[in-house]
Amino acid sequence: MIEVNHLTKRYRGGTAVDDLSFRVEPGRVTGFLGPNGAGKSTTIRMILGLDRPTAGSALVGGRRYAELKRPLTVVGALAEASDVHPGRRVRDHLLWLARSNGLGRQRVAAVLDETGLAGAAGKAARTLSLGMRQRLGIAAALLGDPGVLILDEPVNGLDPEGVIWIRNLAKRLAGEGRTVLVSSHLMSEMALTASHLVVIGRGRLLADLPTDEFVSAH
Ligand code: ADP
Ligand code: ADP
C-alpha cells in the first residue's frame, strides 16, 4: 500500500503538488489521472525518494522509500528502471541490475519471459523500438518481484498493441495482489485500465473514487 499524506512540493516558480493525500490499495490498478503539468511525476518522484517534499510525506508499506531495506523487492518503478546505457544488451542490463541488488540470474530469465523479451535478450538497448524499451523498463521493475509497482505514463508513444499489453500486464499484476499505480493524462486509457482513480489538477486532489463512478458522473 502507498500512503500519500498532505504531500506538498513548492518550487521557486510555484507549487507542483499541493497538500495531496490519497492511498493506493493492493489488489487493484489505481489510475493516477491528470493533465500534463498536474503534478503526477513530481508526486511519483517523491514516493520514490528522488525528490524531497516541501511538506507532508509519502510512505510505502508504512516506510519512506529511503528506509526500505531492499527497495527493488518492494517497489518496481518504471520511472527509475528505464535508465539503460544505449550500448548495453538487454540481458546484460538486467543481469547487472540483478547483481547489484543481490538477485539471482533466474530472476532475469523469469522477467525476460514475463515481458516477452526473451527473443531480444542479445540486442543492444539502442536498437530496441520504443515498445521494446518500455518492456525492458518493466522487466527491470519486475526483477525484485515487487509488491508495489509504479508506472509513470507507461503507454506514452506506444502503438495500440503495446498499449493493450501494458494494460493487461497492470491488471494481471494487480490480480496477483500487488499494489499498482499507473499514471496517465488520458481518461480514455485509464477508464480501460484502472478500477480506481485518483484525479489531480494543478497539484491538488480532484477525485478519489471507483472508475465506474467517475465515468458515470462525467
Ligand atoms: P505531470 O507529471 O502531471 O505532467 P509534473 O509533476 O511533471 O506534472 O509537473 C508539475 C508542475 O511542476 C509543472 O508545472 C512543472 O512545470 C513543475 N515542475 C516540475 N519539476 C520542476 C522543477 N524541477 N522546477 C520547477 N518546476 C517544476
Ligand atoms: P561492465 O559491463 O563491465 O559492468 P560498463 O562500462 O558497462 O562495464 O559499466 C561500468 C559501470 O557503470 C558499472 O560497474 C556500473 O556501476 C555502471 N552501470 C552499468 N550499467 C548501468 C546501468 N544500466 N545503469 C546505471 N549504471 C550502470
Side-chain angles (χ1 to χ4, degrees), residues 31-33 182-184 186-194 197 211:
F32 193 26
L33 177 67
V182 182
S183 78
S184 178
L186 300 170
M187 178 60 216
S188 53
E189 180 50 33
M190 287 295 91
L192 294 168
T193 304
L197 290 178
T211 304

Side-chain angles (χ1 to χ4, degrees), residues 113-147:
D113 276 345
E114 190 162 16
T115 54
L117 278 174
K123 290 191 177 170
R126 83 163 87 74
T127 68
L128 299 177
S129 66
L130 180 64
M132 292 302 250
R133 250 181 293 147
Q134 196 68 318
R135 286 182 190 226
L136 177 55
I138 289 178
L142 292 176
L143 261 185
D145 197 12

Side-chain angles (χ1 to χ4, degrees), residues 83-85 88 93 96:
D83 191 18
V84 189
H85 186 287
R88 182 59 69 87
H93 175 62
W96 173 80

